[in-house]
Amino acid sequence: HTSSCEQVALNVHGTRVVQKMVECADSAAQQSALCAALLPSIMQLIRDMNANHVVQRCLAALPAELAAGIYDRAVSDCLAIATHRHGCCVLQRCLDHAPAPHREEIIGEVVRLAPKLVVDPFGNYVVQYILDLRQPPLTHAIVQALRGGFAELSLQKFSSNVIEKCLKSGDPTAVAVVANELTASEAFATLLHDPFANYVIQTLLTVGKDDVVALLVAQITPHLPTLRSTLYGKRIQAKLLKRCPATKAALPQR
């Protein structure tokens, strides 16, 4: 019965029972009956601290055609699911288990919504999950979606983590795009002393090829005298000296 199955799934003990039912359903009829009972309230289940585990078990244990309804909601309600504490975990499991057509649709939505997701405390993990796949076309798509906002996003806690991950993907195109945008930003001096953006600059100094580092050095050099004035500036100075010992000559002598 639809509502009773849903109520059991929402219960702290009942969730384990329904997960076991999903695991043990060994006939198409049983699997279909379970899906029919759960799908009408799938959004409530996805966002519940107990029932989300039932949805994750469905994705792992049921045939893809029966889980299609979950994948469809992952596309149509991507923003609501990805920005939810439990929903972001379910969405990552969708990416694990979805057959290629559904997976591509979900990834397409995540890329489209990337500017909103990266600043969200939960949505940022979904974007990072895609970057962790280390597939250059996906990394490029996310970098393209965030283009024009890298300076502003570097100044925010969650999105700065995503930008660091873009840079650590090892993709030279991604590194060059971010470096060009940040060094051309009017907020460059602010980035050097910011609690979040300084890590983005440090990462660029670590992973950037010589041409990227040369670009950064040229932009940082006018600010060398002020770097020592903040904790974050000092960190960039240390990273700069490690990568380019020659810059020591430009530092103010104590």
Side-chain angles (χ1 to χ4, degrees), residues 16 21 26 32 35 51 53 62 72 108 111 113 128 137 140 168-169 171-172 179 195-196 200 220 226 238:
R16 297 183 184 281
M21 286 167 68
D26 53 5
S32 294
C35 283
H53 297 290
L62 296 180
D72 289 341
V111 169
L113 294 165
Q128 289 194 53
H140 293 168
K168 289 172 180 172
S169 69
D171 186 272
F196 306 118
V200 175
I220 294 172
T226 63

Side-chain angles (χ1 to χ4, degrees), residues 201-216:
I201 302 290
Q202 285 187 59
T203 303
L204 272 173
L205 285 168
T206 306
V207 304
K209 298 271 195 310
D210 289 348
D211 57 337
V212 166
V213 172
L215 185 64
L216 277 166

Side-chain angles (χ1 to χ4, degrees), residues 37 44 61 63 84-87 99-100 140 146 158 167 215 229 238 241 244:
Q44 186 186 357
H84 187 273
R85 179 185 300 275
H86 305 303
H140 293 168
L146 300 177
F158 305 116
L167 298 174
L215 185 64
S229 65
L241 288 172
C244 308

